[in-house]
Amino acid sequence: MTAKLIKGTEIREEILKEIEAEVKRIQEERGVVPGLVTILVGENPASVSYVTAKIKTAKALGFKEIQDNQPETTSEEDLLALVDKYNKDDTIHGILVQLPLPKHIDEKKVLNAIDPDKDVDGFHPVNVGRLMIGGSEVKFPPCTPAGIQEMIVRAGVETSGAEVVVVGRSNIVGKPIANMLLQKGPGANATVTVVHTRTKDLAAHCKRADILIVAAGVPGLVKPEWIKPGACVIDVGVNRVGEKISEKTGKKIAILKGDVDFDAAKEIAGWITPVPGGVGPMTITMLMKNTLNSLKFKLGLM
Ligand code: GUN
């Protein structure tokens, strides 16, 4: 193996320690803690496990936390009223409506109803606009792209002037990370290309990348010969390709595979993120950071 592993599991611990210390300091000096509410409609097993992990992390950091689970049959009107209740709650600084929502609810309408100053997911059009402008305008960068940027910076990979190729153009990962890395500023200043399903020669673009970010949702899409020797490869793919029994718990767990052929790519890349244990753990971490920052904005500390 030649590539250095960028482990999200380790970077997460560093960042969570920083957040915990700041929460303590603010609580001592100002008598308030960050408040996060997660709203889950229905019982999609993956969503239940995500929101439970989010709430558990918030609690461990000393946040006020509310896990507000609603039945699958909840109406759009009731959900909008619930969002409004938390918009008005001064002890809540972050509102997260877990996606996907049931089909009878208009996702866009619900996300747009969240107060942009409590939108710690960064999905509200106001926050998407703030991200596009960049600099001090940005309040809540979406959590997965923010995690990717942290990993690149903390691994010591130079972004300024780097050729970045992003595979995938989703609103949650591809478009925001491309936008963040091309901004003027530290951890950015890159030359960015976004490639997608209609791109003519995917391999040719990937081969040019100093930093290759893959968020396509296609297991093993990126072949080792597409990787420039010494490049930094960030694999955002979390593809469930089967099930196995966990050695730790004896329970059935998903077998996860990234979008990059890891075993071959690690012999060519300079840095690489594993799946699992790479980008995945960073998303919840950055959600905590956004929630802390929401309180800091409110207190005039940012
Ligand atoms: N569903 C899967 N990932 C996410 C996320 O980051 N935020 C929300 N709100 N829902 C999700």
Side-chain angles (χ1 to χ4, degrees), residues 269-282:
W271 294 265
I272 192 164
T273 60
V275 177
V279 175
M282 296 300 292

Side-chain angles (χ1 to χ4, degrees), residues 50 54 96-100 121 123 283:
Y50 286 139
K54 287 166 188 176
L96 179 139
V97 177
Q98 187 66 25
L99 304 177
D121 255 332
F123 293 165
T283 301

Side-chain angles (χ1 to χ4, degrees), residues 5-223:
L5 263 189
I6 310 180
K7 292 186 186 166
T9 43
E10 285 178 5
I11 298 174
R12 164 180 64 187
E13 295 313 313
E14 280 175 38
I15 298 174
L16 290 180
K17 262 191 209 138
E18 293 164 12
I19 296 173
E20 196 178 4
E22 237 185 320
V23 170
K24 260 197 193 126
R25 188 176 51 75
I26 294 174
Q27 186 174 21
E28 281 163 14
E29 290 173 5
R30 310 289 288 261
V32 281
V33 295
L36 174 69
V37 61
T38 61
I39 301 174
L40 169 65
V41 182
E43 288 171 9
N44 175 315
S47 295
V48 171
S49 122
Y50 286 139
V51 293
T52 305
K54 287 166 188 176
I55 286 297
K56 195 173 150 200
T57 309
K59 191 170 183 176
L61 291 173
F63 288 17
K64 169 180 172 167
E65 89 297 337
I66 300 172
Q67 186 170 357
D68 196 332
N69 292 356
Q70 298 290 324
E72 180 84 22
T73 49
T74 302
S75 69
E76 185 180 283
E77 193 186 357
D78 285 350
L79 184 58
L80 290 170
L82 193 63
V83 168
D84 192 48
K85 179 181 104 172
Y86 291 116
N87 278 343
K88 291 176 177 147
D89 183 337
D90 281 342
T91 67
I92 293 297
H93 309 98
I95 302 172
L96 179 139
V97 177
Q98 187 66 25
L99 304 177
L101 287 169
K103 287 199 171 61
H104 65 276
I105 298 177
D106 182 346
E107 213 159 83
K108 212 156 81 179
K109 211 165 166 182
V110 174
L111 293 182
N112 290 3
I114 298 172
D115 178 346
D117 290 341
K118 295 190 180 188
D119 168 41
V120 285
D121 255 332
F123 293 165
H124 191 287
V126 166
N127 285 315
V128 176
R130 287 170 171 163
L131 192 79
M132 177 69 103
I133 294 167
S136 62
E137 201 68 35
V138 181
K139 279 195 125 163
F140 305 120
C143 303
T144 302
I148 293 170
Q149 193 176 33
E150 279 289 338
M151 294 178 98
I152 294 171
V153 169
R154 288 184 191 234
V157 177
E158 181 60 80
T159 56
S160 182
E163 289 285 344
V164 172
V165 175
V166 179
V167 183
R169 52 178 160 179
S170 71
N171 286 330
I172 293 182
V173 183
K175 281 193 261 182
I177 191 63
N179 188 17
M180 288 160 76
L181 293 178
L182 66 78
Q183 299 288 351
K184 208 177 250 189
N189 287 322
T191 303
V192 182
T193 307
V194 182
V195 299
H196 47 77
T197 45
R198 300 292 174 94
T199 296
K200 280 189 185 140
D201 191 347
L202 215 53
H205 287 286
C206 292
K207 281 179 196 170
R208 286 190 296 105
D210 300 313
I211 301 173
L212 180 62
I213 300 170
V214 192
V218 181
L221 172 74
V222 171
K223 309 291 176 259

Side-chain angles (χ1 to χ4, degrees), residues 228-245:
K228 181 172 165 180
C232 171
V233 178
I234 307 286
D235 189 350
V236 193
V238 186
N239 306 292
R240 287 162 195 255
V241 293
E243 283 183 337
K244 62 177 179 185
I245 302 294

